[in-house]
Amino acid sequence: MSIFDGLLGNASENDTLETQQELSRILASDERVERAFVIIRDQIIFTNKRLILVDKQGVTGKKKEYHSVPYRSVERFSMETTGHFDLDAELKIWVRGQTEPISKTFRNDQNIHDISKALAEHAL
C-alpha cells in the first residue's frame, strides 16, 4: 500500500526494522517489533511482548501518546468490516480494567483482516 492510502485512512503495513529503531527508547532490551501498521498518522504495533498504540497529536504530529497493552490484558476484540453504504471498518479491543474499548476506524477493510489476525495470533 502507498503513503496515499495511509493518508486516506487505509491501514498500511510499516517496515518492522524502521519501527524498531523509532521505538528503541521505549522497547525492553529483549523486545522486538513483529508487525507494524500505520493508519493516517497513528500506528498499531505488535511486539513479541505487547501491543503498542501510537497516537500522534497536534498539527505536526511531534507530540505522541504511547498506549502499551500487554497481550494478557486483552479480554476480547471485534472487527466490523465495510458494507455497501457504510464504508468504514472498525476494530475494537477491550482491555482488562477499562469499561470502554479501544476503537480504531479504517476507511476500508483491506488491512483490518491482517491486523485482526495479528491480534488473534498474539492475544489468544
Side-chain angles (χ1 to χ4, degrees):
M1 298 189 85
S2 69
I3 201 159
F4 187 65
D5 285 331
L7 292 173
L8 291 175
N10 302 333
S12 59
E13 194 152 3
N14 203 14
D15 181 69
T16 56
L17 293 176
E18 181 182 317
T19 306
Q20 179 90 26
Q21 286 182 319
E22 288 175 16
L23 299 177
S24 63
R25 295 179 65 189
I26 67 166
L27 294 176
S29 59
D30 60 342
E31 189 173 15
R32 69 183 180 286
V33 173
E34 295 184 341
R35 297 203 62 188
F37 295 89
V38 178
I39 309 163
I40 305 176
R41 299 187 317 169
D42 297 342
Q43 293 178 294
I44 299 175
I45 301 160
F46 296 90
T47 75
N48 60 320
K49 296 184 176 282
R50 60 184 162 159
L51 173 66
I52 301 172
L53 304 165
V54 181
D55 179 18
K56 292 185 180 180
Q57 302 171 358
V59 175
T60 63
K62 187 173 180 177
K63 182 177 179 178
K64 299 175 188 173
E65 177 184 12
Y66 296 91
H67 192 109
S68 177
V69 181
Y71 294 123
R72 69 181 178 276
S73 296
V74 175
E75 291 186 336
R76 64 186 188 274
F77 57 93
S78 70
M79 173 183 69
E80 179 183 295
T81 61
T82 60
H84 288 292
F85 300 107
D86 183 7
L87 301 178
D88 290 339
E90 189 172 21
L91 178 70
K92 291 182 182 178
I93 305 168
W94 283 265
V95 177
R96 186 177 302 123
Q98 294 183 352
T99 55
E100 294 296 317
I102 297 168
S103 183
K104 294 290 180 184
T105 302
F106 303 79
R107 293 290 174 235
N108 68 34
D109 58 2
Q110 288 180 341
N111 279 76
I112 194 169
H113 290 86
D114 294 335
I115 293 171
S116 183
K117 183 176 181 176
L119 188 54
E121 290 171 350
H122 286 86
L124 298 179

